[in-house]
Amino acid sequence: MLELLTMLGAAAMSYVAFAWLALSQEGNWRALPGNADRPMPAPAVQRRWRWRAASMLACAYALCLWGHGPSFGTVSWVLLSAAGAMAVAFTLSWRARWLRALAFQ
Amino acid sequence: MGDTFTKSMAALHTWAGVTIGALLFAIFWMGTLSVFSNEIDRWMLPDTRLEARDAATAPSLDRIAQAVVPGVPAGARQWRVDLPTARTPVVEFSYRGADGAEHGRLLDPSSYAFLPPQGSAGATGFIVPFHYHLHLNWMETGKWLVGVAAMTMLVMLVSGVIVHKKIIAQFFTFRPRKRLQRSALDLHNLTGVLALPFHFAIALSGLVIFMTIYFPQSYYGAYGSTAKDKAAFTAEAYGRYTRKPANAPGPLASLDAMRDRAEREWRGGQPYFVRVWNPGDANSYVELRRSYAHDMTMNLDQIYFDAATGEVLARFEAGPVMTVQRFFSGLHFVRFERWTLRWLYFLGGISGCVMIATGFLFWLEGRRARHAKHGLAGVAVVEGLTIGSVTGILLATSALFVANRLLPADAGYAGVDRAGMEIRVFYLVWVLAFCHAWGRCTRAWREQLWAIAGLCVLAVGLNWVTTGEHVLKALAQGQFAVAGMDLGLFATALLAMMALRRIKRA
């Protein structure tokens, strides 16, 4: 059970982290409904999103290490990062409005 | 210089992809299925759908020996039992006869009775070896082809990163509503870039596993290149104790006592297989290997006992360099018991398959109009190759599963047994898929996707009819392997239908 919970937790963290990274890029931010004509958030906000993303990925790694040990934890984290980033890409293509919840400054 | 370099890398990426892509897809597809080989085995070998046992109730080795020893013919060099695990609830018994040929049977660990012959190689007997040697054993041709494909994969990953124009700007870009060429390239870049560490580690670790074949110089330098040198290297690197038979009869002491001793020596580590060498001889000896079900590194720990007295004859543990090699092997083999990570490996494998298939699609869509205008045959040839290698192998695999459920237990033809017939169905369908692809060109996509969807649903139905198990029943009984396989077949059918819809739009 711990295996599943830590994996799900780290997966959610990885998804949120990559969502912030994506939002910090103008093209992806504009893909959100209603953002096409709005001014892009200030560079300081973009930087904040990137810092949050990096911290979130670090937390995901810590959770993987805690739940799965150094070797399984590292491999899990690398694979979860790929899965999280891919899930964000698909969200941007099909359900971009979902990411609005994370676009807070 | 920069421009020429990028152009040459683009040419390398394109040509390597077009020539090796088909082979690479077959290896990736079979590798992806191999991640769940034991689960597919449960589906393909219904008699082995026994209740999983926990480690605390390990079966008695002495009772297993009582059951299997009468089946070992005189003059056999060795017999071996692989103990049940969480994923394989049966005892796998095999022996090597005096002629060197291997024979095997399965045993129920609760009743210590043999299961009837299964008439199927299952996934571990066909899909897994296909992944690493393509069943081409002559002069190790298959392993060399797989090695070339893995090396090409590494080359393509590096050249692909160099060729990619906007790796950061398009990190998350996927435009499914654009033209097929554009969507295919997006998906190719997405799966290639985001899963790059996985693809790189998998291709590299695949090469490291067969280091003695692909990089023999690594031990030639220290040991030499003759067969004797290789044996010396193998003994030191992988461990091997041997003792010649005395050609006089000898008894077999308690295997359970040897297991207890081994577990004490390994501080709780458990054996995963037991092998008795020179059985029945006074110089017979017993080999126990330590399980790596809970580690990434596939340890090489082994203990040898004198069969008659149960005294320890030799112990082996891998040295530091071999431990690194075994870590890479473990990273690739996915033998550890972690089902969540296993699923991530499966998804990684699927992303590799998507990367190869979309690479082909981008190549085809980029040239279709130009080749048609200039009367070039390139697109027609590569399209047939793509269809045959992508939908063709999926079709052949679905046909393998259907044949597995459809062939009668006593099936056999012209000296080929039931297991062999299943495999022949696979190859026959695959060859036909290539012929169909070259004959029908673009239309073959649609037709093969329909056939895949149909065969997958048929396989699920046949499993229900022939074994009485369907997804809900399997889930209720805790047969997650069977339920997962049925759901996987449904998912494949669904994805085939979605691909059909996308093709209609293109």
Side-chain angles (χ1 to χ4, degrees):
Chain A
M1 200 56 186
L2 182 73
E3 182 190 341
L4 179 63
L5 286 179
T6 47
M7 202 62 112
L8 286 178
M13 285 176 172
S14 158
Y15 179 83
V16 170
F18 280 104
W20 275 327
L21 273 185
L23 286 173
S24 75
Q25 289 179 306
E26 182 162 359
N28 300 323
W29 186 80
R30 296 228 176 271
L32 265 57
N35 278 4
D37 304 318
R38 257 196 248 163
M40 182 68 193
V45 175
Q46 292 180 26
R47 268 201 301 277
R48 199 179 307 148
W49 280 340
R50 284 177 193 167
W51 271 112
R52 274 188 215 158
S55 332
M56 202 53 127
L57 280 177
C59 289
Y61 189 32
L63 187 61
C64 283
L65 289 178
W66 178 72
H68 303 261
S71 40
F72 290 125
T74 304
V75 176
S76 303
W77 179 72
V78 169
L79 283 167
L80 282 176
S81 298
M86 237 174 264
V88 168
F90 292 141
T91 313
L92 281 166
S93 334
W94 284 304
R95 295 283 183 278
R97 64 193 152 80
W98 287 2
L99 296 184
R100 234 180 340 204
L102 291 170
F104 59 88
Q105 301 184 356
Chain B
M1 163 66 196
D3 190 40
T4 343
F5 180 62
T6 315
K7 268 190 188 152
S8 62
M9 285 294 120
L12 173 68
H13 191 84
T14 309
W15 278 102
V18 167
T19 47
I20 298 289
L23 174 63
L24 206 51
F25 189 91
I27 297 167
F28 249 85
W29 171 245
M30 290 304 193
T32 305
L33 293 181
S34 298
V35 169
F36 283 120
S37 57
N38 297 54
E39 285 72 16
I40 300 175
D41 276 351
R42 300 290 79 71
W43 192 93
M44 290 180 81
L45 316 172
D47 288 331
T48 67
R49 296 177 191 175
L50 306 170
E51 214 167 300
R53 306 161 61 94
D54 52 28
T57 57
S60 155
L61 294 180
D62 290 329
R63 291 200 57 187
I64 292 176
Q66 270 174 21
V68 303
V69 166
V72 179
R77 291 189 213 161
Q78 46 138 299
W79 62 264
R80 155 180 180 163
V81 285
D82 282 68
L83 298 170
T85 66
R87 296 173 62 213
T88 305
V90 289
V91 176
E92 292 167 347
F93 160 65
S94 61
Y95 66 86
R96 201 175 280 273
D99 57 350
E102 196 164 304
H103 309 267
R105 286 291 297 272
L106 299 176
L107 195 83
D108 182 337
S110 306
S111 63
Y112 300 94
F114 281 114
L115 297 172
Q118 297 301 299
S120 169
T124 38
F126 176 64
I127 290 175
V128 176
F130 189 107
H131 170 64
Y132 65 83
H133 67 43
L134 313 169
H135 293 281
L136 299 173
N137 294 319
W138 181 73
M139 303 264 294
E140 314 250 42
T141 318
K143 278 183 190 155
W144 275 106
L145 283 172
V146 173
V148 168
M151 200 67 221
T152 313
M153 171 92 178
L154 293 177
V155 168
M156 282 197 284
L157 289 173
V158 173
S159 58
V161 168
I162 294 167
V163 172
H164 198 325
K165 290 192 188 73
K166 300 171 184 161
I167 211 160
I168 299 293
Q170 295 193 346
F171 200 75
F172 298 100
T173 304
F174 175 47
R175 290 159 290 187
R177 294 170 204 86
K178 296 250 171 152
R179 282 181 307 134
L180 184 58
Q181 187 187 351
R182 191 72 246 173
S183 318
L185 181 63
D186 280 348
L187 207 50
H188 183 68
N189 289 341
L190 203 63
T191 45
V193 172
L194 298 183
L196 185 71
F198 172 77
H199 297 321
F200 202 90
I202 281 295
L204 183 67
S205 54
L207 289 168
V208 170
I209 291 170
F210 288 124
M211 60 171 194
T212 51
I213 295 177
Y214 301 143
F215 313 111
Q217 280 71 18
S218 58
Y219 72 84
Y220 281 4
Y223 291 83
S225 57
T226 65
K228 211 175 149 197
D229 297 328
K230 187 178 181 183
F233 165 73
T234 309
E236 274 191 47
Y238 293 91
R240 168 122 307 174
Y241 171 84
T242 50
R243 190 162 79 168
K244 287 211 159 54
N247 293 321
L252 178 63
S254 166
L255 292 175
D256 284 323
M258 293 180 208
R259 166 163 64 190
D260 291 344
R261 175 78 192 272
E263 286 183 2
R264 276 201 307 278
E265 299 259 339
W266 289 331
R267 287 187 291 279
Q270 290 170 329
Y272 76 98
F273 85 67
V274 178
R275 181 153 51 186
V276 178
W277 294 86
N278 309 330
D281 188 271
N283 262 355
S284 173
Y285 56 101
V286 180
E287 170 188 359
L288 263 68
R289 292 239 182 182
R290 183 179 177 176
S291 163
Y292 35 73
H294 302 289
D295 303 306
M296 181 71 89
T297 306
M298 295 163 80
N299 71 70
L300 288 168
D301 297 3
Q302 34 202 291
I303 300 185
Y304 295 86
F305 295 92
D306 185 277
T309 62
E311 287 302 309
V312 174
L313 294 171
R315 283 192 61 166
F316 180 82
E317 276 174 25
V321 175
M322 275 312 286
T323 304
V324 174
Q325 197 270 357
R326 297 302 283 177
F327 176 83
F328 272 101
S329 306
L331 191 68
H332 193 105
F333 275 105
V334 207
R335 290 282 168 82
F336 41 79
E337 283 174 9
R338 284 188 172 256
W339 66 271
T340 49
L341 189 50
R342 186 168 298 281
W343 271 101
L344 287 175
Y345 266 81
F346 183 74
L347 293 178
I350 296 280
S351 85
C353 292
V354 170
M355 174 178 71
I356 300 164
T358 47
F360 267 123
L361 280 181
F362 175 69
W363 190 95
L364 289 169
E365 294 307 310
R367 285 157 185 79
R368 200 181 286 284
R370 190 158 51 85
H371 281 208
K373 196 171 143 198
H374 297 292
L376 296 171
V379 164
V381 172
V382 176
E383 183 154 47
L385 185 70
T386 309
I387 298 172
S389 56
V390 176
T391 50
I393 202 168
L394 265 77
L395 191 62
T397 313
S398 325
L400 171 78
F401 295 143
V402 168
N404 171 267
R405 293 292 80 230
L406 215 51
L407 287 172
D410 57 353
Y413 182 72
V416 180
D417 61 1
R418 189 185 183 280
M421 287 182 75
E422 273 181 23
I423 292 166
R424 276 166 179 71
V425 166
F426 172 88
Y427 285 116
L428 183 69
V429 172
W430 203 15
V431 169
L432 287 177
F434 271 108
C435 298
H436 174 243
W438 274 308
R440 301 273 294 166
C441 299
T442 310
R443 284 164 300 184
W445 280 113
R446 282 180 58 79
E447 290 157 5
Q448 295 201 7
L449 283 167
W450 272 113
I452 291 168
L455 283 182
C456 284
V457 174
L458 180 63
V460 175
L462 286 171
N463 178 45
W464 188 356
V465 172
T466 54
T467 69
E469 263 180 5
H470 50 80
V471 176
L472 295 178
K473 193 172 163 194
L475 281 177
Q477 291 174 342
Q479 291 285 348
F480 298 116
V482 179
M485 176 71 177
D486 272 352
L487 289 173
L489 285 163
F490 272 134
T492 312
L494 195 69
L495 284 171
M497 299 307 285
M498 283 163 68
L500 272 168
R501 219 179 61 172
R502 180 65 182 84
I503 283 180
K504 212 182 264 177
R505 206 146 50 80

